[in-house]
Amino acid sequence: MSLSMSMSLSLRYYPVGNRLLPGIQALAPLSRRKSSVRPPAAAAAAAALNPQTERTPGTLKTIQELPVHGLFSTFYWYFVKGYHEKVHELQLVQKMMFGPIWKSKFGPLTVVNVASADLIEQILRQEGKYPVRAYMPHWREYRKLRGHAYGPLCEYGQEWHRMRSMLNPKMLKPKEVSNYSPAINEVVTDFVKKLHWLRENHGGGVMVNDMSSELYKFAFEAICTVLFETRMGCLEEKIPEETQKFIEAVFEMFRLSAFIIFFPKAIWPYLPYWKQFVAAWDYLFYITKKLVNKKIKEMNESVKKGCAVEGEYLTYLLTSTKMTPVDIYGSLCELLLAAVDTTSNTTSWILYNLAKEPSIQQQLYEEVNSVCPGDQIPTAKDFASMPLLKAVAKETLRLYPVVPGNARVIVEKEVVAGGYYFPKNTLFHLCHYAVSQEDSEFTQPRSFQPHRWLRGEGGEKKHHPFASIPFGFGTRTCLGKRVAELEMYSVISRLIKHFEVRPDPSGKVVTAKTRTLLCPAAPINLQFIDRK
């Protein structure tokens, strides 16, 4: 689950400055700054960050001196060369053309692309207390229209920091997250049963078609179990109508977001997409409110009976924080949105690669079985003894980072990186995909080699700590990182115990495409053979 629902296409989400500003106006001043400005503070920062560059205060470069990828060039690569669904691969092309740092122009919007681990580290270490990923005007506009609270993806500044301080404890502390293991394992048990049913009824006894779709339902069910402390029926043979509409609303909201953001805010109300977008959000909030209010009613009934109020994440938010129900509606709605595609896509890629590498899969089976022999079900405490399982997840996230390009807007101070001075409110696009594919960091970077993450194995040289950071860094670290890992470890370990996973006998190769997130470009079909 990467709750980093930031931007993979840098022009999709517009950044903010020190205040709430509409759309791309927030960065308009950037293009008008004079190149002669070299503040002493920035020069001092440069010396502190990059003593090896041997730059003096008078030699700092400015954004105007960066190589530029213009609007017409962007149009050419997206639509003539066909990279509109391969924006992650375009990072590699542009890095080859311009080097590790360059700027892109989208009308009045200037984006600074950064494609080296060292430069990414320099920027992230200067992001300040209230880093901004990106301003999501269409999401925020819906909330203003309906009077809903902002969640952790829409909010920023001090209010965002306050919200994260309340959401974090039960999401990021390993000991707290381990409490979700029994509930998630119940979902995994039902998922294994579902795969048996799919094989027998639609796969000739061996095939499960479109694993990403099935894992999407698993991830939806798992995160709802954590966030709302209830089951939604996503894994039933016939999904409840309300749950099916809930799933479809999530899909529609993301699909329509990509269209709406390309139009000026003033004409949104006149777009046919806008009404559908609002309707999708309305249903998301309707179900979220219904589930939260149901929990509030159950808690009140327990209190009236003199019983202890028990529960996990939702119970914690309702009883141990200063968040109002309205705040909780907004936060849980956004946490749900960020959790489903991310976990399901990564797990799909894990199974796809394990199916192609039977020797690695066998080693993983032996590891899981040695820690949890027989019918023993792996739980959170067991995963500490499964280094290969963790390495498989890390390697998959390196090859297929959930968010191939992240964004940062440094609003509190100027930034110095790579010998350049950048003013406040500069929008940085951190090209994680390009960096994770760098052969100077990883041996044979295009190949699936989980052992590179194991100490003393694989002969892998030590890579830069910022060469692969799929869950982000610092205060903006993915809020759902621990839960996502628990879900992935739980379902993969159980599937490997039950089945030998084999590739699609047709030999079809599945590549990745960029659809905000990095996802399979075609259905992943796999064979699941019972282990004896």
Side-chain angles (χ1 to χ4, degrees):
M1 165 184 6
S2 173
L3 293 183
S4 16
M5 298 299 296
S6 53
M7 66 178 213
S8 59
L9 293 177
S10 55
L11 73 165
R12 286 193 177 181
Y13 305 136
Y14 301 137
V16 296
N18 290 323
R19 298 180 181 179
L20 175 60
L21 296 174
I24 55 180
Q25 291 178 2
L27 279 188
L30 182 63
S31 60
R32 296 196 293 269
R33 293 181 183 266
K34 296 181 180 180
S35 61
S36 60
V37 177
R38 290 181 171 88
L49 283 167
N50 295 306
Q52 74 278 10
T53 62
E54 299 181 356
R55 289 192 179 276
T56 63
T59 61
L60 277 175
K61 296 181 181 181
T62 64
I63 191 170
Q64 284 78 12
E65 297 173 81
L66 282 172
V68 60
H69 191 259
L71 182 61
F72 290 109
S73 181
T74 298
F75 181 87
Y76 171 77
W77 282 99
Y78 276 26
F79 301 108
V80 178
K81 299 288 287 185
Y83 277 84
H84 60 287
E85 285 195 339
K86 297 186 292 181
V87 182
H88 57 292
E89 294 288 346
L90 186 57
Q91 291 179 16
L92 300 173
V93 174
Q94 292 177 330
K95 181 177 182 179
M96 190 176 298
M97 292 168 61
F98 302 117
I101 183 167
W102 70 96
K103 64 184 176 184
S104 300
K105 299 284 288 185
F106 300 98
L109 183 66
T110 299
V111 180
V112 177
N113 304 279
V114 179
S116 85
D118 187 55
L119 290 172
I120 288 176
E121 178 181 17
Q122 290 178 37
I123 290 166
L124 291 178
R125 290 198 184 280
Q126 298 175 74
E127 64 182 4
K129 189 176 181 180
Y130 308 121
V132 175
R133 275 216 187 90
Y135 176 46
M136 304 173 76
H138 46 337
W139 287 28
R140 292 179 67 93
E141 185 64 19
Y142 168 77
R143 281 149 181 74
K144 288 166 62 179
L145 178 69
R146 294 291 193 241
H148 293 315
Y150 298 132
L153 306 182
C154 285
E155 194 55 275
Y156 55 87
Q158 291 184 352
E159 183 57 28
W160 165 82
H161 191 265
R162 182 190 72 84
M163 184 185 302
R164 278 290 299 245
S165 69
M166 292 184 283
L167 296 172
N168 280 357
K170 288 277 188 176
M171 275 284 172
L172 288 176
K173 292 183 178 180
K175 185 176 180 180
E176 296 287 353
V177 173
S178 66
N179 293 328
Y180 307 136
S181 191
I184 289 174
N185 266 324
E186 286 184 15
V187 179
V188 174
T189 297
D190 289 345
F191 184 65
V192 172
K193 293 177 181 176
K194 178 74 177 293
L195 292 190
H196 278 288
W197 184 86
L198 288 168
R199 280 191 325 175
E200 300 308 316
N201 290 274
H202 301 286
V206 294
M207 287 291 297
V208 175
N209 297 308
D210 198 359
M211 275 300 298
S212 294
S213 175
E214 299 306 324
L215 283 165
Y216 186 94
K217 297 168 191 173
F218 160 78
F220 206 103
E221 186 77 9
I223 194 59
C224 284
T225 302
V226 171
L227 295 180
F228 301 115
E229 302 177 20
T230 191
R231 295 294 299 268
M232 300 294 293
C234 300
L235 301 178
E236 294 178 10
E237 183 178 337
K238 182 173 177 55
I239 299 175
E241 182 179 358
E242 200 169 66
T243 298
Q244 183 61 43
K245 289 177 66 177
F246 196 28
I247 294 172
E248 291 169 359
V250 172
F251 180 84
E252 276 295 281
M253 190 282 300
F254 277 122
R255 184 182 71 84
L256 296 168
S257 287
F259 290 106
I260 291 168
I261 199 62
F262 283 107
F263 294 91
K265 179 180 174 181
I267 70 170
W268 288 350
Y270 307 102
L271 294 173
Y273 306 125
W274 179 250
K275 291 182 179 179
Q276 300 168 37
F277 178 75
V278 170
W281 270 118
D282 282 345
Y283 200 78
L284 294 178
F285 270 90
Y286 161 72
I287 295 295
T288 299
K289 286 182 176 180
K290 182 176 180 178
L291 295 174
V292 173
N293 291 343
K294 175 186 174 185
K295 185 64 180 180
I296 293 173
K297 182 179 179 182
E298 292 173 356
M299 291 168 62
N300 288 336
E301 290 175 352
S302 294
V303 171
K304 288 180 181 178
K305 295 176 181 177
C307 300
V309 174
E310 297 180 348
E312 288 296 340
Y313 196 64
L314 181 52
T315 302
Y316 158 75
L317 293 181
L318 289 167
T319 61
S320 305
T321 70
K322 295 181 180 179
M323 296 181 75
T324 67
V326 173
D327 293 331
I328 293 172
Y329 301 151
S331 292
L332 293 191
C333 205
E334 290 187 13
L335 289 175
L336 170 70
L337 295 174
V340 181
D341 286 90
T342 50
T343 303
S344 61
N345 286 337
T346 302
T347 308
S348 298
W349 290 122
I350 289 174
L351 292 171
Y352 177 74
N353 281 286
L354 287 176
K356 294 195 300 179
E357 299 289 347
S359 63
I360 297 175
Q361 184 181 163
Q362 179 62 27
Q363 291 174 50
L364 180 58
Y365 168 72
E366 291 171 2
E367 176 182 85
V368 173
N369 228 29
S370 67
V371 178
C372 298
D375 295 331
Q376 184 179 335
I377 294 176
T379 61
K381 64 179 178 61
D382 297 312
F383 300 133
S385 302
M386 299 182 188
L388 181 57
L389 175 63
K390 293 184 176 183
V392 164
K394 283 184 179 180
E395 179 69 348
T396 303
L397 286 165
R398 181 191 69 81
L399 285 168
Y400 310 95
V402 174
V403 183
N406 214 331
R408 277 296 187 277
V409 185
I410 312 299
V411 300
E412 299 172 45
K413 57 184 178 180
E414 297 86 0
V415 173
V416 171
Y420 286 88
Y421 159 74
F422 300 100
K424 295 178 183 179
N425 303 327
T426 299
L427 171 59
F428 293 99
H429 177 217
L430 310 181
C431 301
H432 295 302
Y433 183 82
V435 175
S436 70
Q437 301 288 324
E438 181 59 64
D439 56 13
S440 64
E441 297 289 348
F442 300 100
T443 304
Q444 297 180 320
R446 292 282 190 168
S447 63
F448 179 68
Q449 297 184 23
H451 289 80
R452 72 172 86 241
W453 298 98
L454 299 178
R455 293 181 180 178
E457 294 192 41
E460 183 77 9
K461 61 185 178 182
K462 188 175 181 180
H463 63 271
H464 195 290
F466 283 73
S468 180
I469 48 171
F471 293 108
F473 171 81
T475 57
R476 276 281 186 180
T477 295
C478 171
L479 180 56
K481 171 184 176 179
R482 302 292 183 193
V483 175
E485 290 173 336
L486 180 60
E487 289 181 11
M488 289 190 289
Y489 299 159
S490 298
V491 70
I492 292 298
S493 61
R494 291 279 292 285
L495 291 180
I496 292 301
K497 275 179 70 74
H498 279 273
F499 306 106
E500 178 189 346
V501 186
R502 296 180 184 174
D504 185 342
S506 71
K508 181 175 71 173
V509 175
V510 180
T511 58
K513 69 176 180 180
T514 311
R515 194 184 60 198
T516 303
L517 305 177
L518 201 63
C519 60
I524 293 177
N525 306 323
L526 298 171
Q527 300 178 78
F528 286 82
I529 312 300
D530 291 324
R531 291 192 182 271
K532 297 179 181 178

